[in-house]
Amino acid sequence: MLPPKENELITRVGQGTPMGDTMRRYWIPACLASEIAEPDCPPVRVRLLGEDLVAFRDSDGRIGLLDEFCAHRRVSLFFGRNEECGLRCVYHGWKYDVEGNCVDQLNEPPEHQFKHHIHMTAYPTTELGGIVWAYLGPPEKMPAPPKFAWTRVPEARRHVSKVVEECNWLQALEGGIDTSHAPILHRLLTDNSTRGGIKPSNPFVRGKAPNLVVDVTDYGYLYAGVRPLAIPTCTSAPIISSCRSIRSARRARNRGCRWTPAISGCRWMTTTAWSTTGCTARPTRR
């Protein structure tokens, strides 16, 4: 448990905050690729690290992530027309490409060439593993693309789902890697129950409170929750654990990964399962 002052420091992620600046140094999920599956399809709203943005796929298949509001009269580009390699505001027809350049202005005489003076905030993106990733940090500090193992397996061997939870990133992370709540919250009342959950007779439940063993690594940390009557349950997370946690599985062919970028008061999360032999899990949304 953190004192209120420390909790405020670590959970605020807006521009200029210590944690916000840190998170902006990593690639984070912006939206599912399926949400902007086709060229010139409708844009989608994206809120990341306290910023209101829109994502769209242009006529050539390139992905743009722009400030949501038009530079002219601050009308939401979520209502814009995605056409001919740009997103056009419906109010006065100002149009922006994926790099944030204003390429057309229907209400300005062409000879003024005023469009060349307008540029919107635009962030780099990359599409990997069924997810559109964004980098919101300094261009000169951009890391390598997030080519993790699960982003490189065939699509049939993974599934990705999107969940929005009304909590801050630290609460989300804690729930995602906490091994002690699972046998309490997710246990069944009786062994013969037909509902999903953990049976009371399961060693995971009978083992009760775990002893936590932590191993700090150069990429983050590993920890195990060891129970006398149960197989140790483990998870791993990177140094910036608000962005990623990887859950181990009892069967090596099925693994899970969570990305939990902070939105602001709530968070956007993807859950991913992947396998070397096939994936039977299905995406869920709520």
Side-chain angles (χ1 to χ4, degrees), residues 15-97:
Q15 289 182 322
T17 63
M19 187 56 69
D21 289 346
T22 300
M23 288 185 178
R24 281 169 171 77
R25 294 283 299 276
Y26 294 81
W27 288 97
I28 56 178
C31 65
L32 301 182
S34 60
E35 293 182 272
I36 49 172
E38 302 294 334
D40 291 337
C41 66
V44 297
R45 280 191 172 109
V46 174
R47 184 167 171 80
L48 288 176
L49 305 179
E51 299 186 39
D52 293 315
L53 310 167
V54 288
F56 68 102
R57 191 183 299 269
D58 76 4
S59 307
D60 293 334
R62 298 179 302 169
I63 296 174
L65 185 66
L66 309 180
D67 183 342
E68 180 183 346
F69 303 103
C70 178
H72 184 221
R73 291 291 185 263
R74 303 298 287 166
V75 173
S76 174
L77 293 175
F78 171 72
F79 302 105
R81 297 197 304 269
N82 187 6
E83 58 186 18
E84 299 177 339
C85 288
L87 192 57
R88 188 184 296 277
C89 178
V90 296
Y91 195 13
H92 292 93
W94 287 25
K95 181 180 174 182
Y96 305 91
D97 66 14

Side-chain angles (χ1 to χ4, degrees), residues 13 18 30 86 90-91 109 112 139-140 172 175 205 214 221 247 273:
V13 295
V90 296
Y91 195 13
H112 288 178
E140 70 277 9
V205 174
V214 180
Y221 67 89
R247 293 180 176 181

Side-chain angles (χ1 to χ4, degrees), residues 135-148:
Y135 175 71
L136 280 63
E140 70 277 9
K141 300 292 185 180
M142 184 186 297
K147 294 182 180 180
F148 298 97

